[in-house]
Amino acid sequence: MREAGVHRLVYSSSATVYGAPQYLPADEQHPTGAGLTNPYGKTKYFCEQVMQDLAASDKEWRLVSLRYFNPVGAHPSGRIGEDPLGPPNNLMPFVAQVAVGKREELSVFGDDYNTPDGTGVRDYVHVVDLAEGHVMALDKAFSKSFRGYASYNLGTGRGVSVLEMIEAFCRASGKPVPYRVVGRRAGDVASVVASCSLAEEQLGWRARRDLQEMCEDAWRWQKLHPNGFRSCQ
């Protein structure tokens, strides 16, 4: 990038850099790198450290790291969506595949967490809100007043449990989503919820789409493409 004269970067980071949260909602001042629960979070943390060191050593760089919480949903047209290869590792695409009849049931990993209904709580954000956040991050990177490194949380600030997600998807799709409670999954934490006030203050960004819209758009994609992008061939 330096050799090509490119000194601006918007990086896709993750809330996993916070590890097991010490407090909620987690803001950008929350410690990172401590108690990381999986290799994915470690790679994001390491990349953020490289970016911070680079910005400190060379003032030409303008680096923005966006810490995604849990992106879900699809483009409202139903033409672009999430198409996992193999069994989905994330909740919503698995729920969608059960609802469309591609899979028999959903495994709920643990119902004994210290949360309102015992299942894990996450901060889900619509993928279109996330895309808009990237546009605003680019505006930041091209601002003449900005140099160095900055990181921002992108979430909604509202936690949703696994059972709440299942219920919302059933409403959106009109389909049942059978599930079975199994043991906890290694590396999972009870709750992760974002504080997004810094992104609103400095980027002018806030999530505008709610859980119902996330589910409706994901279902539209899944219903039109039961076999993912292979349905388009």
Side-chain angles (χ1 to χ4, degrees):
M1 288 175 66
R2 182 186 285 118
E3 289 175 359
V6 177
H7 296 93
R8 296 177 177 88
L9 178 67
V10 175
Y11 178 67
S12 298
S13 190
S14 166
T16 54
V17 299
Y18 297 127
Q22 298 176 17
Y23 60 84
L24 294 174
D27 57 22
E28 290 81 357
Q29 298 305 311
H30 187 288
T32 60
L36 297 176
T37 58
N38 55 59
Y40 177 77
K42 286 187 178 181
T43 64
K44 295 299 185 184
Y45 170 69
F46 291 152
C47 287
E48 285 197 357
Q49 292 301 298
V50 170
M51 292 167 65
Q52 290 177 46
D53 290 346
L54 179 60
S57 66
D58 185 345
K59 301 307 179 183
E60 284 297 309
W61 291 88
R62 298 168 173 87
L63 308 171
V64 181
S65 180
L66 299 179
R67 294 172 178 168
Y68 307 168
F69 276 65
N70 290 78
V72 296
H75 192 273
S77 68
R79 297 179 64 188
I80 308 172
E82 188 171 3
D83 182 19
L85 299 177
N89 290 319
N90 296 321
L91 177 61
M92 183 174 279
F94 209 115
V95 170
Q97 290 187 6
V98 172
V100 84
K102 190 173 181 178
R103 301 189 183 277
E104 290 187 5
E105 67 178 10
L106 170 73
S107 293
V108 175
F109 296 103
D111 64 352
D112 57 350
Y113 287 103
N114 184 24
T115 61
D117 63 20
T119 64
V121 170
R122 297 293 182 270
D123 187 336
Y124 296 95
V125 58
H126 197 294
V127 67
V128 176
D129 280 322
L130 199 65
E132 292 172 353
H134 282 73
V135 174
M136 294 176 182
L138 281 170
D139 289 341
K140 172 85 173 181
F142 278 89
S143 169
K144 292 183 179 179
S145 62
F146 173 67
R147 289 181 185 271
Y149 169 86
S151 56
Y152 299 98
N153 291 340
L154 296 186
T156 64
R158 177 180 181 271
V160 175
S161 74
V162 175
L163 296 185
E164 287 175 327
M165 173 66 81
I166 294 171
E167 181 182 350
F169 206 93
C170 288
R171 287 197 306 270
S173 65
K175 302 289 185 179
V177 178
Y179 67 88
R180 177 170 54 95
V181 177
V182 297
R184 295 186 183 189
R185 185 170 56 178
D188 282 349
V189 299
S191 298
V192 181
V193 180
S195 168
C196 302
S197 57
L198 189 65
E200 184 168 6
E201 175 186 331
Q202 295 190 7
L203 301 180
W205 179 90
R206 64 188 296 270
R208 298 186 292 113
R209 296 159 181 86
D210 62 15
L211 178 63
Q212 195 63 26
E213 194 168 352
M214 299 176 206
C215 292
E216 289 171 357
D217 289 343
W219 174 242
R220 185 178 300 109
W221 152 257
Q222 190 69 75
K223 181 173 60 174
L224 293 174
H225 307 90
N227 295 310
F229 287 108
R230 291 172 294 282
S231 305
C232 303
Q233 297 174 354

